[in-house]
Amino acid sequence: MSEAEVPQSTETADDTPTSAVPRHVAIIMDGNGRWAAAHGLPRVEGHRRGVEVLRRTIRAAGEIGIKIITIFSFSSENWSRPAAEVGELMGLLRRFIRNDLAELHRSGVRVRIIGERAGLAADIGRLLVEAEELTKDNTGLTLVVAFNYGARQEIARAARRIAEDVAQGRLKPADVTIDSVGGYLDTADLPDPDLIIRTSGEQRLSNFLLWQSAYSELVFVPVNWPDFDRAVFEGAIREYQQRERRFCGLAAKTAPTTPVKTGS
Ligand code: FPP
């Protein structure tokens, strides 16, 4: 599909989206290992190629008019992989931030990290803080990196903090609502994803954004992440644009969450 066939985002003076380009797209980048095996390469080559594809995808997202892109780069469950592969994935994150942060900053990208920070290597913790701090005032694309992220863990952390606030008298049980729970999640200041794309043909969420995906459209594409390109990306967006979003009967064009500041 050509680029011209995807309606581009145009905005009116009051910042109201006037096209069906999804504001927030989240991606489960799956299939690096299968891609490598199919090419007779070690798994790590699939992950390395995956980082290249990620760079191109971030650029494409900005060009298409997407405001927020969330990527699942390392799950809470990925620690159970062989130590060498975990080490390689940690190394890729280090290199991605060290090599790409300046360029992302120049392009106006705001970086946000979600996931559990405790237990990460100290230098990785510092890189994550540096990426967020350096780019926090940028107003272009928001790149949300889900790192050491698991949705059930995120919800359990939120529940623990809610319980602590109730126990300390800072929150009344009656004030535990959908909106207030959302404020305890890692994604507190982000709108829910409009579209979640998973590559590799697998059709499940695998502990990714379980709370936030309540009304997301899900598109599963049959290519492994290293083969994800602009045409596949635009095809997924076109599929999203053909869906009728009903939000359980609400006649709304955007998800029924409190409008929040997204940096755009
Ligand atoms: C799934 O493929 C992918 C991952 C577990 C990690 C995704 C990571 C990258 C694309 C590169 C790292 C990016 C950053 C920013 C650090 P898989 O290994 O599960 O593939 P398989 O299911 O075919 O084995």
Side-chain angles (χ1 to χ4, degrees):
M1 183 178 66
S2 79
E3 217 174 289
E5 288 175 63
V6 172
Q8 302 296 297
S9 175
T10 52
E11 292 186 347
T12 55
D14 67 354
D15 212 31
T16 305
T18 56
S19 79
V21 169
R23 176 163 61 147
H24 181 177
V25 176
I27 307 184
I28 302 174
M29 310 179 289
D30 194 15
N32 294 347
R34 276 163 282 173
W35 180 89
H39 290 78
L41 297 167
R43 291 177 59 81
V44 59
E45 288 304 326
H47 296 315
R48 286 182 189 155
R49 165 100 180 201
V51 176
E52 281 304 316
V53 171
L54 173 60
R55 286 191 184 102
R56 289 202 289 270
T57 303
I58 294 168
R59 271 198 300 276
E63 287 164 13
I64 289 168
I66 292 161
K67 300 294 181 198
I68 304 166
I69 184 164
T70 297
I71 52 146
F72 203 3
S73 68
F74 190 87
S75 79
S76 309
E77 288 72 31
N78 284 157
W79 294 107
S80 63
R81 294 191 174 203
E85 185 171 344
V86 170
E88 183 65 35
L89 287 166
M90 294 293 153
L92 285 175
L93 178 81
R94 284 187 181 94
R95 287 199 288 283
F96 177 70
I97 295 183
R98 286 190 190 127
N99 298 341
D100 292 48
L101 184 59
E103 173 58 27
L104 290 169
H105 184 43
R106 263 196 303 279
S107 311
V109 172
R110 182 176 71 129
V111 179
R112 281 284 316 273
I113 316 288
I114 59 172
E116 177 62 87
R117 304 283 175 103
L120 293 177
D123 71 310
I124 290 195
R126 282 194 298 273
L127 282 171
L128 300 182
V129 171
E130 182 191 337
E132 287 192 312
E133 275 299 306
L134 180 70
T135 63
K136 68 179 188 312
D137 296 324
N138 289 345
T139 56
L141 179 77
T142 295
L143 169 65
V144 183
V145 180
F147 191 78
N148 195 21
Y149 176 84
R152 287 177 165 181
Q153 289 84 345
E154 175 193 35
I155 292 167
R157 278 199 307 278
R160 199 176 311 130
R161 288 178 46 221
I162 289 169
E164 283 163 6
D165 281 354
V166 169
Q168 297 297 320
R170 293 187 291 258
L171 184 70
K172 294 196 205 79
D175 291 334
V176 180
T177 61
I178 291 174
D179 283 343
S180 68
V181 171
Y184 283 84
L185 297 172
D186 297 356
T187 51
D189 60 342
L190 297 165
D192 292 341
D194 301 294
L195 166 64
I196 298 180
I197 301 170
R198 181 173 187 151
T199 60
S200 90
E202 305 290 350
Q203 302 194 1
R204 57 180 171 268
L205 285 176
S206 299
N207 205 15
F208 186 49
L209 300 178
L210 297 183
W211 175 279
Q212 300 85 343
S213 62
Y215 293 98
S216 305
E217 295 296 329
L218 310 182
V219 172
F220 302 101
V221 296
V223 302
N224 290 321
W225 175 249
D227 287 329
F228 186 84
D229 61 13
R230 178 86 179 227
V232 179
F233 198 3
E234 292 186 351
I237 293 169
R238 193 170 57 170
E239 187 171 335
Y240 163 86
Q241 288 169 334
Q242 287 164 354
R243 304 262 177 96
E244 190 186 351
R245 303 193 74 194
R246 299 181 64 85
F247 302 114
C248 275
L250 293 179
K253 283 190 171 174
T254 53
T257 53
T258 312
V260 288
K261 190 168 175 285
T262 64
S264 56

